[in-house]
């Protein structure tokens, strides 16, 4: 089963509890449930950990664990290989997986959406004073597009292409987790980073709260029409 990003935790947990309670669990038998989440600095990881904790406490015979991963693409891959029973994923990544598109060409994943958890927000994070006011201004800059096999990287590539930039040629690409991206930005080792996740994301708020830096989020709404037409 796959959880797509988006709103109601209580209904989600009831659905998972219902699935778990439908399993015949004897007094000696233990059922394990692995939840694929995301990087430790993002939102998926603490949310998955909270879900695992509640399920383990609430369902007799069930032991649930939250696994840190690179994000949506990696999570859908572990669903395909049956290394996890539940995964958190962005809706567009799940759509690609289900239809065998993009990263999942030739290896479609038979996913089932259980619940919408919360709305994802796509961030392009930089600092004041670096001269970056639009996605086009990222040309020639050192930019983190998210870790390999993450939904953030998929979206970052699409946004860059929508702005007329080649992600592999027009930027110096780094593939860092959101936490590592935030640290690199504060240390001026990168000029910007992409992140797709819930609000608040601890790594992003950490940048905003850091002394001596002023966070800046880049508006990319003008690219929405291009993105909607192509993807």
């Amino acid at each position: 089963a796959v959880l797509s990003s988006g709103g109601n935790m209580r209904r989600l947990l009831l659905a998972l509890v219902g699935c778990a309670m439908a399993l015949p669990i004897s007094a000696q038998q233990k059922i394990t449930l692995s939840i694929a989440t995301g990087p430790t600095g993002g939102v998926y990881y603490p949310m998955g950990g909270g879900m695992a904790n509640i399920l383990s406490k609430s369902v007799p015979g069930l032991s649930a664990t939250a696994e840190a991963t690179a994000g949506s693409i990696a999570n859908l891959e572990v669903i395909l290989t049956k290394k996890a029973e539940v995964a958190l994923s962005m809706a567009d990544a799940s759509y690609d997986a289900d239809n065998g598109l993009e990263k999942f060409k030739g290896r479609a994943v038979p996913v089932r959406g259980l619940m919408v958890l919360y709305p994802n927000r796509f961030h392009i994070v930089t600092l004041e004073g670096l001269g970056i006011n639009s996605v086009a201004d990222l040309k020639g800059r050192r930019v983190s597009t998210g870790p390999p096999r993450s939904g953030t990287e998929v979206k970052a590539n699409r946004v860059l292409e929508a702005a007329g930039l080649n992600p592999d040629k027009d930027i110096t690409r780094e593939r860092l987790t959101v936490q590592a991206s935030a640290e690199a930005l504060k240390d001026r080792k990168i000029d910007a980073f992409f992140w797709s996740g819930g609000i608040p994301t601890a790594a992003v708020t950490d940048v905003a709260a850091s002394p001596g830096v002023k966070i800046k989020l880049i508006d990319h709404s003008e690219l929405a029409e291009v993105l909607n037409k192509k993807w």
Side-chain angles (χ1 to χ4, degrees), residues 136-156:
D137 291 334
L138 295 175
K139 187 172 183 177
R141 303 296 189 124
R142 187 174 294 275
V143 183
S144 174
T145 55
R149 300 162 65 229
S150 69
T152 294
E153 184 178 53
V154 171
K155 284 191 174 182

Side-chain angles (χ1 to χ4, degrees), residues 12-29:
L12 165 64
L13 292 174
L14 287 173
L16 289 175
V17 169
C19 291
M21 292 185 72
L23 297 172
I25 304 176
S26 68
Q28 292 78 31
Q29 186 182 15

Side-chain angles (χ1 to χ4, degrees), residues 78-89:
V78 297
I79 289 293
L80 179 62
T81 57
K82 299 182 180 180
K83 293 179 180 178
E85 291 72 41
V86 176
L88 278 67
S89 169

Side-chain angles (χ1 to χ4, degrees), residues 20-173:
M21 292 185 72
L23 297 172
I25 304 176
S26 68
Q28 292 78 31
Q29 186 182 15
K30 289 282 286 187
I31 298 296
T32 59
L33 183 75
S34 178
I35 303 174
T37 63
T40 56
V43 178
Y44 281 175
Y45 183 72
M47 176 170 283
M51 291 161 50
N53 184 47
I54 292 172
L55 288 168
S56 296
K57 288 181 178 179
S58 303
V59 182
L62 177 68
S63 175
T65 58
E67 311 296 339
T69 71
S72 294
I73 304 299
N75 292 352
L76 289 158
E77 288 173 346
V78 297
I79 289 293
L80 179 62
T81 57
K82 299 182 180 180
K83 293 179 180 178
E85 291 72 41
V86 176
L88 278 67
S89 169
M90 294 188 298
D92 48 354
S94 298
Y95 177 87
D96 286 347
D98 191 46
N99 290 278
L101 304 173
E102 301 286 344
K103 300 275 187 181
F104 298 96
K105 194 168 184 178
R107 51 172 189 151
V109 186
V111 298
R112 175 176 295 177
L114 292 181
M115 185 58 56
V116 173
L117 287 173
Y118 59 85
N120 250 346
R121 306 296 184 188
F122 193 64
H123 306 59
I124 305 175
V125 185
T126 185
L127 301 178
E128 289 284 0
L130 295 183
I132 300 174
N133 301 301
S134 68
V135 178
D137 291 334
L138 295 175
K139 187 172 183 177
R141 303 296 189 124
R142 187 174 294 275
V143 183
S144 174
T145 55
R149 300 162 65 229
S150 69
T152 294
E153 184 178 53
V154 171
K155 284 191 174 182
N157 288 342
R158 290 175 178 176
V159 168
L160 288 166
E161 289 173 17
L165 300 181
N166 184 319
D168 296 315
K169 295 180 179 179
D170 291 330
I171 64 170
T172 300
R173 188 203 287 267

